[in-house]
Amino acid sequence: MNWPTATEVDLHDLRITDPLIGKCRELVREVTLPYQWEALNDRIPEVTPSHSIDNFRIAANRANGEFYGTVFQDSDVAKWLEAVAWLLCETSNPELERTADDLIELIAAAQCGDGYLNTYFTVKAPGERWSNLSECHELYCAGHLIEAGVAFFQATGKRRLLEVVCRLADHIAVVFGPERYQLHGYDGHPEIELALIRLYEATLEQRYLTLANYFVEQRGTEPHFYDIEYEKRSRQRKAHVEPWMVRDKAYSQAHLPVSEQRTATGHAVRFVYLMTGVAHLARLLQNEQQRQACLRLWQNMVQRQIYITGGIGSQSAGEAFSSDYDLPNDTAYAESCASIGLMMFARRMLEMEADSRYADVMERALYNTVLGSIALDGRHFFYANPLEIHPKTLRSNRIYSHVSPIRQPWFGCACCPPNIARLFTSIGHYIYTPHSDALYVNLYVGNSVSLPVGEHTLRLRMSGNYPWEDQVEVAVESEQPITHTLALRLPEWCSAPEARLNGEPVNCESHKGYLHIHRTWRQGDRCKLQLPMKARRVYGHPQLHHLAGKVAIQRGPLIYCLEEADNGPELHNIWLDADSQFSLVEGKGLFAGKILLRADGFRLQHSLSEEAPLYHYDKVPGQRQPQRLTFIPWFSRANRGEGEMRIWINDW
Amino acid sequence: MNWPTATEVDLHDLRITDPLIGKCRELVREVTLPYQWEALNDRIPEVTPSHSIDNFRIAANRANGEFYGTVFQDSDVAKWLEAVAWLLCETSNPELERTADDLIELIAAAQCGDGYLNTYFTVKAPGERWSNLSECHELYCAGHLIEAGVAFFQATGKRRLLEVVCRLADHIAVVFGPERYQLHGYDGHPEIELALIRLYEATLEQRYLTLANYFVEQRGTEPHFYDIEYEKRSRQRKAHVEPWMVRDKAYSQAHLPVSEQRTATGHAVRFVYLMTGVAHLARLLQNEQQRQACLRLWQNMVQRQIYITGGIGSQSAGEAFSSDYDLPNDTAYAESCASIGLMMFARRMLEMEADSRYADVMERALYNTVLGSIALDGRHFFYANPLEIHPKTLRSNRIYSHVSPIRQPWFGCACCPPNIARLFTSIGHYIYTPHSDALYVNLYVGNSVSLPVGEHTLRLRMSGNYPWEDQVEVAVESEQPITHTLALRLPEWCSAPEARLNGEPVNCESHKGYLHIHRTWRQGDRCKLQLPMKARRVYGHPQLHHLAGKVAIQRGPLIYCLEEADNGPELHNIWLDADSQFSLVEGKGLFAGKILLRADGFRLQHSLSEEAPLYHYDKVPGQRQPQRLTFIPWFSRANRGEGEMRIWINDW
């Protein structure tokens, strides 16, 4: 194995100019983050209370009251702060920065003398610190604070929060570790691992990397830490019934050491958070066993357990993976956070090995599940993202209790909204993977960027109108000539990509899915990629039993769907014609700037009376009527109120 | 409304001779009932403990120990006893009768001085009698004991248990009723209503009918009894969190007075038990409002919410109905007890109005869900009866947590096994509905019967090999000529029935689905019904969104299915040819005596490597290969170990 070095783009040096993602990012800046700040402060009367800022106030002795919320309520604040930090890289925003600074002072004031920092335990259960790692998210919350601290330091150069989280991490390093006097544990919800690695990268303090590795390697070993701590709680009469999170160790990927795990299992967000850390660690430590685990588990996930939308976690129970080839459409969980975590995992895999299959999955998740998780108004969010909605049955059949037909303003467990904000403000980290041998271009999100290449600075401007139009241009804007390799991803959905360099055709031979162009780049050099975006039919693997006889439509990276608003109700009675051509239609109104698709199909028309029986002998009770079908990009669904929706439709 | 009188066949005067149902009944007598007696006595080491006989021993002070089991554990014993009683009508069985007599003495010994009888409250919570009707099944258990008492009296003439249950009913009549000093409540699980009506019919004591009517009419009225009793428990600090059964009043059909209910709602077993009582009561009291409720709710159930198998209750949560047209195949609950209760409801509707649509549903439930709920060995039972099984995913996806791919030896909640036994030993009650104007023949289960008609006794022998062969013969064996009407049901599944009387064709005009033949019947008269049993394709109502593009196969009353054992795995990749003819095949081995069906179809064959992607562009990854398909009667599924099964298959 040739272990690559990889760096990340400094977000101060990147401007998003993309029409689609850029607009979404603008929405996050202008609407979503201010809105979320109000929500975290409980100043939006109609939404579920958060109380998370108040929890910090109480912990800091600046207010009286009781802790309220989930055990991981602190993490919503941390993710919001991290989202703000990444935003501040791009444009200064003194008011937002002041709000963040004040929040950081509040967080600092809530820190205990020994570095401990968690409002749930400080306020509500001070005697129970570190006694229930399997359930209580203590290190998970710490991880998110650490990520925020690193981001805020990187964004502003201010060390205040970084110092707070270093003290927190140092405290954790005292409590956890291999020594006899330490706890030999790890968190039920992975996150601390990936956060400590970021902290290591920001501080170059080896001990944080060591601790991250300890948590990864300790996970799932015997005697099992969850059992040990549960037994301890039982002895102290703090636990009476073994919690299911202790019993079901696969739920938190703690059923086996990571190196022995064979399939993507358990809570999907936990899985991808864990593997994001493992992949990052494997590269930094050049640990082949960890790398093999990443390859194997990635492979199982994308070859057996991922939705066409880049969603993962096919069941509501445990927000979890099911088993190979079990991907129901209507009861899917496919949490927004899981697809965000999947992008994080893909990013770390790309840093380990620049293979476009990771970026393909990253793109699928971004343009479908993640982009669709936020409403066009920036104030409503999806938590679960099933591929089929039949509103009438959602309220009556509890297999759909996790499904909402439209995006919601907030959640009792509000992990998704700030995570979505954080993803869009840090999207620059996903566009490029700077390896020493080449600059890998993963996503065609329009931007201008400056990157160090040796002693020089490579300046690029990427433009186009992706994913609506099939041309992408990468223009070199550096004043000095720079010899380097640009590696442009050739998307898996594109069967006939073409490339031109300054007008001349370039052989599109790919190396692990990237077109490598090595040369001395000069100002004005232009790479043009032509990525023909035919609307394509997609069919499921024959073992996907929910997809037999069904077809989905994809154009570029976008998955399309039928909605009741365009096609009428009873979408299950619609068939797509076998030989139907797709025509592209410019969207209007809500869909302005978007491409819709039209195609011929038919509908089973029926005119049964109210008294018609449920079952009919000998022939189908209805007639086939031609119908012109309208498909919209799935990410833009559910912006017109409740209605039926489906991605997988009957194939003629 | 012309209120009919209706009687029931005296099971002493009926012999089941049917090859299929008779064999099942024999199995129940020879295997199931002895087996269940051992299970109730905890003498079968490998099955879930019952402890229900021990509970009676402890309550009777004949043993020491703690109560164990559900609050309704007593009802398993009562149903077993009732099943035995009906069996004793047909053939004497001194050993079984002695066992029953001893059990009755035990039950009598467990009765309290004031008539109260319930081992859970007597042993475990003596201070909490009648304090939690919404959850605790106290009247439900009483109802099953009353049914057993009536049955044992009718079977043997012995009054011992009848007297016990009369004392119990009299105690209940003191506790419940409209007076200020009485409880104005009713049970969360209906059953007492139908049982008190049976007790009224056995004793002709009007007060039992009055009490049944009180329970029916009080149900769902405001102020709500569940709230009142919950508030009382809260005041006494016996309840701290409002139980969901109190909150979700529709679960137990207590959200509205029965007369205001519009749709079949909540726990399916409770619904049909309630409506069995209401229908019986409506006829006896000539209560038009109750009758209208029956008609309306029956209609909603069969026109919107019933499976093709006669299963009801389409979701596991609350073992409940969902909403109109929501009938998923794989996550269906369709409890065995619910289809038994449906037969009970249909029977009482037939007594109110001899319309074959009730008998059609009764037959559908009997020959599919009920007959399939017991294994060929008589010792294994289905609780839930989904229409599609994909064993690989059952264990990994918790939307299937209620589904077992094969029948189980017992259950923690063991309501189904003794209910199945009771249904088969009392099947004679369902075959005929004796109205004053005619003897209605609902089911073509072979039997010999004697019935009083005026001063005379009509003796009939029904034979054939239903539902395998299409001829049914009803022969008159009375020695005296009797003038009466025989009303033979013309099944809804049969499009061209023919009838002959002593060889002469009879005009098959039906009145409410029955062919009425009025004459003076003489010994040797023979009615022959020819009910052509073409295998027929069945299609779902277009609003049944799970059935779009799917077809099911029915022959006679039997629903057929594909099993992996005959057709290989991946049944979702099988299509039925549009023009395929069905051929009938005599079953062998396990299927001896049964008719299987064969038809042409095709299978999507694929030879994808382990590494194949999940999604394929442009064309289906596989080829269509012709395949000869074998269909088995659905009731005989899952007798060859675990495997895929489906009723609704892809329609070409």
Side-chain angles (χ1 to χ4, degrees):
Chain A
M1 175 65 196
N2 236 335
W3 293 97
T5 57
T7 54
E8 68 183 20
V9 169
D10 184 335
L11 294 187
H12 292 90
D13 300 330
L14 184 136
R15 293 284 166 282
I16 300 291
T17 57
D18 192 73
L20 178 61
I21 303 290
K23 202 170 159 189
C24 190
R25 193 181 147 84
E26 204 180 296
L27 189 70
V28 166
R29 186 182 62 222
E30 298 299 320
V31 178
T32 310
L33 283 173
Y35 169 83
Q36 292 187 353
W37 178 244
E38 296 303 297
L40 294 172
N41 280 281
D42 300 296
R43 289 193 291 253
I44 302 180
E46 64 275 22
V47 312
T48 317
S50 164
H51 206 259
S52 53
I53 301 295
D54 272 347
N55 290 338
F56 276 101
R57 283 205 192 94
I58 296 163
N61 287 318
R62 294 186 184 178
N64 292 316
E66 294 293 317
F67 178 92
Y68 171 89
T70 63
V71 287
F72 47 87
Q73 209 77 348
D74 287 3
S75 62
D76 296 344
V77 174
K79 278 188 277 187
W80 182 84
L81 196 51
E82 188 187 346
V84 167
W86 300 130
L87 200 64
L88 293 175
C89 293
E90 186 172 308
T91 36
S92 81
N93 185 327
E95 194 191 325
L96 196 57
E97 192 167 337
R98 205 158 38 239
T99 302
D101 283 334
D102 290 349
L103 175 57
I104 287 167
E105 287 309 321
L106 177 64
I107 292 170
Q111 188 165 36
C112 301
D114 59 357
Y116 184 84
L117 181 43
N118 182 303
T119 72
Y120 174 84
F121 285 95
T122 301
V123 174
K124 192 164 177 177
E128 293 174 28
R129 272 192 198 181
W130 310 124
S131 66
N132 188 354
L133 275 287
S134 60
E135 293 185 296
C136 288
H137 294 67
E138 226 164 341
L139 291 170
Y140 167 86
C141 288
H144 275 301
L145 272 175
I146 290 168
E147 283 204 280
V150 169
F152 206 76
F153 166 65
Q154 290 178 339
T156 64
K158 293 179 188 171
R159 304 188 70 89
R160 182 70 168 126
L161 187 57
L162 185 67
E163 282 162 6
V164 166
V165 302
C166 282
R167 286 180 61 214
L168 171 57
D170 292 339
H171 171 74
I172 292 168
V174 170
V175 175
F176 291 87
E179 302 301 332
R180 282 200 57 181
Y181 60 86
Q182 291 177 302
L183 287 177
H184 303 166
Y186 43 87
D187 205 81
H189 197 315
E191 155 68 23
I192 187 70
E193 302 81 358
L194 72 86
L196 285 168
I197 305 168
R198 293 190 70 94
L199 188 60
Y200 157 74
E201 289 189 322
T203 62
L204 297 178
E205 293 288 354
Q206 192 68 37
R207 65 182 184 280
Y208 299 135
L209 196 61
T210 305
L211 185 57
N213 190 56
Y214 177 76
F215 285 135
V216 166
E217 292 297 323
Q218 186 62 15
R219 195 169 202 87
T221 57
E222 295 289 344
H224 204 286
F225 179 70
Y226 294 175
D227 296 328
I228 292 167
E229 62 166 15
Y230 170 65
E231 206 198 313
K232 207 195 258 174
R233 290 202 305 285
S234 300
R235 277 202 310 271
Q236 296 166 352
R237 305 192 176 188
K238 286 176 181 164
H240 305 284
V241 180
E242 191 188 33
W244 67 266
M245 288 191 193
V246 172
R247 208 168 46 245
D248 179 8
K249 297 182 173 67
Y251 165 75
S252 55
Q253 296 82 40
H255 54 307
L256 285 172
V258 174
S259 61
E260 294 174 28
Q261 296 185 25
R262 291 283 172 279
T263 56
T265 301
H267 188 274
V269 175
R270 295 176 195 229
F271 174 79
V272 283
Y273 275 38
L274 173 64
M275 297 314 297
T276 299
V278 177
H280 201 167
L281 202 59
R283 180 174 61 85
L284 295 179
L285 298 178
Q286 304 199 351
N287 183 321
E288 181 61 20
Q289 195 181 43
Q290 289 174 345
R291 178 174 162 269
Q292 288 299 331
C294 290
L295 293 174
R296 193 170 59 235
L297 292 170
W298 173 276
Q299 202 61 5
N300 172 262
M301 175 180 66
V302 301
Q303 236 169 38
R304 304 277 192 273
Q305 302 202 69
I306 196 170
Y307 285 99
I308 193 173
T309 55
I312 49 173
S314 56
Q315 63 181 321
S316 168
E319 306 177 322
F321 291 100
S322 171
S323 54
D324 288 1
Y325 301 113
D326 183 36
L327 294 167
N329 294 309
D330 56 346
T331 58
Y333 204 72
E335 184 180 339
S336 304
C337 283
S339 289
I340 291 168
L342 176 60
M343 289 181 66
M344 290 157 39
F345 184 15
R347 175 186 171 196
R348 299 303 176 191
M349 292 303 280
L350 284 165
E351 289 172 358
M352 192 150 67
E353 179 190 18
D355 186 321
S356 71
R357 62 199 174 116
Y358 303 117
D360 286 333
V361 170
M362 182 196 277
E363 182 180 75
R364 190 180 281 279
L366 172 62
Y367 281 100
N368 296 291
T369 297
V370 179
L371 198 53
S373 63
I374 182 168
L376 298 176
D377 70 0
R379 296 161 184 261
H380 292 82
F381 312 92
F382 272 136
Y383 194 112
N385 297 281
L387 288 74
E388 187 176 312
I389 293 280
H390 197 262
K392 280 182 202 161
T393 56
L394 294 184
R395 287 176 196 86
S396 56
N397 195 328
R398 295 244 302 269
I399 56 175
Y400 304 117
S401 58
H402 60 293
V403 177
S404 166
I406 51 169
R407 296 171 184 82
Q408 299 297 305
W410 204 249
F411 304 93
C413 166
C415 54
C416 296
N419 220 1
I420 295 165
R422 166 174 96 126
L423 186 280
F424 282 108
T425 63
S426 66
I427 189 69
H429 282 147
Y430 299 84
I431 300 173
Y432 298 103
T433 303
H435 276 290
S436 54
D437 70 321
L439 176 64
Y440 289 86
V441 183
N442 306 313
L443 299 175
Y444 294 114
V445 173
N447 71 91
S448 302
V449 71
S450 304
L451 297 120
V453 172
E455 302 299 302
H456 302 287
T457 298
L458 177 64
R459 292 182 209 283
L460 301 176
R461 190 165 50 75
M462 191 197 295
S463 58
N465 187 15
Y466 197 87
W468 310 115
E469 293 175 29
D470 55 10
Q471 284 223 7
V472 176
E473 184 181 279
V474 181
V476 177
E477 300 193 325
S478 319
E479 284 160 27
Q480 303 292 324
I482 295 171
T483 304
H484 198 49
T485 302
L486 268 189
L488 304 173
R489 175 174 147 264
L490 300 175
E492 53 83 29
W493 51 259
C494 184
S495 51
E498 287 176 24
R500 282 175 184 267
L501 176 59
N502 299 329
E504 295 299 310
V506 177
N507 181 356
C508 264
E509 211 174 303
S510 85
H511 179 65
K512 292 191 177 174
Y514 288 87
L515 169 67
H516 289 244
I517 307 177
H518 180 78
R519 67 186 258 119
T520 300
W521 297 93
R522 292 192 163 76
Q523 195 166 25
D525 278 353
R526 276 175 163 63
C527 290
K528 276 198 180 170
L529 265 187
Q530 181 90 24
L531 302 170
M533 289 183 177
K534 208 165 74 92
R536 296 178 79 175
R537 286 170 158 79
V538 190
Y539 299 91
H541 188 291
Q543 291 210 51
L544 291 169
H545 66 276
H546 299 95
L547 304 189
K550 298 273 195 294
V551 61
I553 311 303
Q554 180 173 349
R555 179 177 179 265
L558 297 178
I559 304 303
Y560 279 72
C561 69
L562 294 180
E563 273 202 328
E564 182 176 347
D566 302 304
N567 303 286
E570 296 183 27
L571 297 178
H572 58 277
N573 282 328
I574 286 176
W575 270 255
L576 180 66
D577 272 357
D579 51 1
S580 172
Q581 299 299 307
F582 291 89
S583 60
L584 276 50
V585 182
E586 297 258 343
K588 289 176 191 147
L590 271 178
F591 297 102
K594 299 185 173 69
I595 304 281
L596 314 189
L597 301 174
R598 293 248 163 82
D600 290 326
F602 66 84
R603 167 186 281 277
L604 182 75
Q605 280 288 3
H606 56 95
S607 50
L608 295 173
S609 77
E610 277 284 299
E611 308 299 303
L614 264 187
Y615 302 103
H616 296 253
Y617 292 108
D618 306 330
K619 68 191 191 70
V620 176
Q623 299 79 36
R624 292 186 176 131
Q625 301 284 350
Q627 181 172 334
R628 188 86 178 140
L629 307 177
T630 299
F631 295 81
I632 63 164
W634 182 66
F635 78 77
S636 59
R637 72 196 182 280
N639 278 301
R640 294 174 288 179
E642 287 191 26
E644 287 184 39
M645 179 279 291
R646 59 171 58 199
I647 288 177
W648 292 97
I649 62 169
N650 302 316
D651 184 30
W652 182 221
Chain B
M1 176 66 197
N2 236 335
W3 293 97
T5 57
T7 55
E8 67 183 20
V9 169
D10 184 335
L11 296 186
H12 293 89
D13 300 330
L14 184 138
R15 292 285 165 281
I16 299 290
T17 57
D18 192 74
L20 179 60
I21 302 291
K23 201 169 162 190
C24 190
R25 194 182 146 86
E26 202 179 297
L27 189 70
V28 166
R29 186 181 63 222
E30 297 300 320
V31 178
T32 310
L33 283 173
Y35 169 82
Q36 292 187 353
W37 178 244
E38 295 304 296
L40 294 172
N41 280 281
D42 300 297
R43 289 193 291 252
I44 303 181
E46 65 272 24
V47 312
T48 317
S50 163
H51 206 260
S52 52
I53 301 294
D54 272 346
N55 290 337
F56 277 100
R57 282 205 193 93
I58 296 162
N61 287 318
R62 295 186 183 177
N64 292 315
E66 295 293 316
F67 178 93
Y68 172 88
T70 63
V71 287
F72 47 86
Q73 209 75 349
D74 287 2
S75 63
D76 296 344
V77 174
K79 280 188 278 188
W80 182 85
L81 196 51
E82 189 187 345
V84 167
W86 300 128
L87 200 65
L88 293 175
C89 294
E90 185 170 310
T91 36
S92 81
N93 186 326
E95 196 190 326
L96 196 56
E97 190 167 337
R98 204 158 40 238
T99 302
D101 283 333
D102 290 348
L103 174 57
I104 287 167
E105 288 308 321
L106 177 64
I107 292 170
Q111 187 165 36
C112 300
D114 59 358
Y116 185 84
L117 181 43
N118 181 304
T119 72
Y120 174 83
F121 285 95
T122 302
V123 175
K124 194 165 176 178
E128 294 173 28
R129 272 193 198 181
W130 310 124
S131 66
N132 188 354
L133 274 288
S134 61
E135 293 185 295
C136 289
H137 295 66
E138 226 164 341
L139 291 171
Y140 167 85
C141 288
H144 275 301
L145 273 176
I146 291 169
E147 284 204 279
V150 169
F152 207 75
F153 166 65
Q154 290 178 337
T156 62
K158 294 180 187 170
R159 305 188 69 90
R160 181 70 168 127
L161 187 57
L162 185 68
E163 282 161 7
V164 166
V165 302
C166 283
R167 285 180 60 214
L168 171 56
D170 292 340
H171 172 73
I172 292 168
V174 170
V175 175
F176 291 88
E179 301 300 332
R180 282 200 57 180
Y181 61 85
Q182 290 177 304
L183 286 177
H184 303 167
Y186 42 86
D187 206 80
H189 198 314
E191 155 67 24
I192 187 70
E193 300 82 357
L194 71 86
L196 285 169
I197 305 168
R198 293 189 70 91
L199 188 58
Y200 157 74
E201 289 188 322
T203 62
L204 297 179
E205 295 286 354
Q206 192 69 35
R207 65 182 185 278
Y208 299 136
L209 195 62
T210 304
L211 185 58
N213 190 56
Y214 178 77
F215 286 135
V216 166
E217 292 298 321
Q218 187 61 15
R219 195 168 202 90
T221 57
E222 294 290 344
H224 203 286
F225 179 69
Y226 293 175
D227 297 327
I228 292 167
E229 63 165 15
Y230 170 64
E231 206 198 313
K232 205 195 261 176
R233 290 202 306 283
S234 300
R235 278 202 308 272
Q236 297 167 352
R237 306 193 176 186
K238 285 176 181 165
H240 304 284
V241 180
E242 192 189 32
W244 68 266
M245 287 191 194
V246 173
R247 208 168 46 247
D248 180 8
K249 297 181 172 69
Y251 166 75
S252 55
Q253 296 84 39
H255 54 308
L256 284 173
V258 173
S259 61
E260 294 173 28
Q261 295 185 26
R262 292 282 172 278
T263 56
T265 301
H267 188 275
V269 175
R270 294 176 197 231
F271 174 79
V272 282
Y273 276 37
L274 173 63
M275 298 314 297
T276 299
V278 178
H280 201 167
L281 201 59
R283 180 174 60 84
L284 295 180
L285 299 179
Q286 305 199 350
N287 184 322
E288 182 61 22
Q289 195 181 44
Q290 290 174 346
R291 178 174 161 270
Q292 287 300 332
C294 290
L295 293 174
R296 194 170 58 236
L297 293 169
W298 173 275
Q299 201 62 3
N300 173 263
M301 175 180 68
V302 302
Q303 235 169 38
R304 303 279 192 272
Q305 303 202 68
I306 196 170
Y307 285 100
I308 194 173
T309 55
I312 49 172
S314 56
Q315 62 182 322
S316 168
E319 307 175 322
F321 290 101
S322 171
S323 54
D324 287 1
Y325 302 113
D326 183 35
L327 293 167
N329 294 308
D330 56 346
T331 57
Y333 204 71
E335 184 180 340
S336 304
C337 283
S339 289
I340 291 168
L342 176 60
M343 290 180 66
M344 289 157 39
F345 183 16
R347 176 187 170 196
R348 297 306 174 189
M349 292 303 280
L350 285 165
E351 289 173 357
M352 192 150 66
E353 179 189 18
D355 186 321
S356 72
R357 63 199 174 115
Y358 304 117
D360 286 334
V361 170
M362 182 198 275
E363 182 181 75
R364 190 179 281 279
L366 171 63
Y367 281 101
N368 297 290
T369 297
V370 178
L371 198 54
S373 63
I374 182 167
L376 297 176
D377 70 0
R379 296 162 184 262
H380 293 81
F381 312 92
F382 272 137
Y383 194 114
N385 296 281
L387 287 74
E388 186 176 314
I389 293 280
H390 198 260
K392 280 182 202 160
T393 57
L394 294 185
R395 286 176 198 85
S396 55
N397 195 330
R398 294 244 302 270
I399 57 174
Y400 305 116
S401 58
H402 60 293
V403 177
S404 166
I406 50 169
R407 296 171 185 81
Q408 300 298 304
W410 204 248
F411 305 91
C413 165
C415 54
C416 295
N419 221 0
I420 296 164
R422 168 175 93 128
L423 185 280
F424 282 108
T425 62
S426 65
I427 189 68
H429 283 147
Y430 299 85
I431 300 173
Y432 298 102
T433 303
H435 276 289
S436 54
D437 71 321
L439 175 65
Y440 289 86
V441 182
N442 306 312
L443 300 174
Y444 295 113
V445 173
N447 70 91
S448 302
V449 69
S450 305
L451 296 120
V453 172
E455 302 300 301
H456 302 287
T457 297
L458 177 64
R459 291 181 211 284
L460 301 175
R461 190 165 49 75
M462 191 196 296
S463 59
N465 188 15
Y466 197 89
W468 311 113
E469 292 175 30
D470 54 11
Q471 285 223 6
V472 176
E473 184 182 280
V474 181
V476 177
E477 300 193 326
S478 319
E479 284 161 26
Q480 303 293 325
I482 296 171
T483 304
H484 199 48
T485 302
L486 268 188
L488 304 173
R489 176 174 145 262
L490 300 176
E492 54 82 30
W493 51 259
C494 184
S495 51
E498 286 175 26
R500 282 175 184 266
L501 175 60
N502 298 329
E504 295 300 309
V506 177
N507 182 358
C508 263
E509 212 175 302
S510 84
H511 180 67
K512 292 190 177 175
Y514 287 87
L515 170 67
H516 288 244
I517 308 177
H518 182 78
R519 66 186 256 118
T520 299
W521 298 94
R522 293 192 163 74
Q523 194 168 27
D525 278 351
R526 276 175 163 64
C527 291
K528 275 195 182 173
L529 265 186
Q530 181 90 21
L531 302 170
M533 289 183 176
K534 207 166 76 93
R536 296 178 79 175
R537 287 170 159 78
V538 189
Y539 299 91
H541 188 290
Q543 292 210 51
L544 290 170
H545 67 276
H546 298 95
L547 304 189
K550 299 272 195 296
V551 61
I553 312 304
Q554 180 173 350
R555 179 177 178 267
L558 296 177
I559 304 302
Y560 279 72
C561 70
L562 295 179
E563 273 202 326
E564 183 175 349
D566 303 303
N567 302 285
E570 298 182 26
L571 297 179
H572 58 276
N573 284 327
I574 286 178
W575 270 254
L576 180 66
D577 272 356
D579 52 1
S580 172
Q581 299 299 308
F582 292 88
S583 60
L584 276 50
V585 182
E586 296 258 343
K588 289 176 190 147
L590 272 179
F591 297 102
K594 300 186 173 68
I595 304 282
L596 314 188
L597 300 175
R598 293 249 163 80
D600 289 327
F602 65 85
R603 167 185 281 277
L604 182 76
Q605 279 289 2
H606 56 95
S607 50
L608 295 172
S609 78
E610 276 284 299
E611 307 299 304
L614 264 188
Y615 302 102
H616 295 254
Y617 291 108
D618 305 332
K619 66 192 193 72
V620 177
Q623 298 79 37
R624 293 186 175 130
Q625 301 283 351
Q627 181 172 334
R628 188 86 178 140
L629 307 178
T630 299
F631 294 82
I632 63 163
W634 182 66
F635 78 78
S636 59
R637 73 196 182 280
N639 277 301
R640 293 175 288 179
E642 285 191 26
E644 288 183 37
M645 177 280 291
R646 59 170 59 199
I647 287 176
W648 291 97
I649 63 169
N650 302 315
D651 184 29
W652 181 221

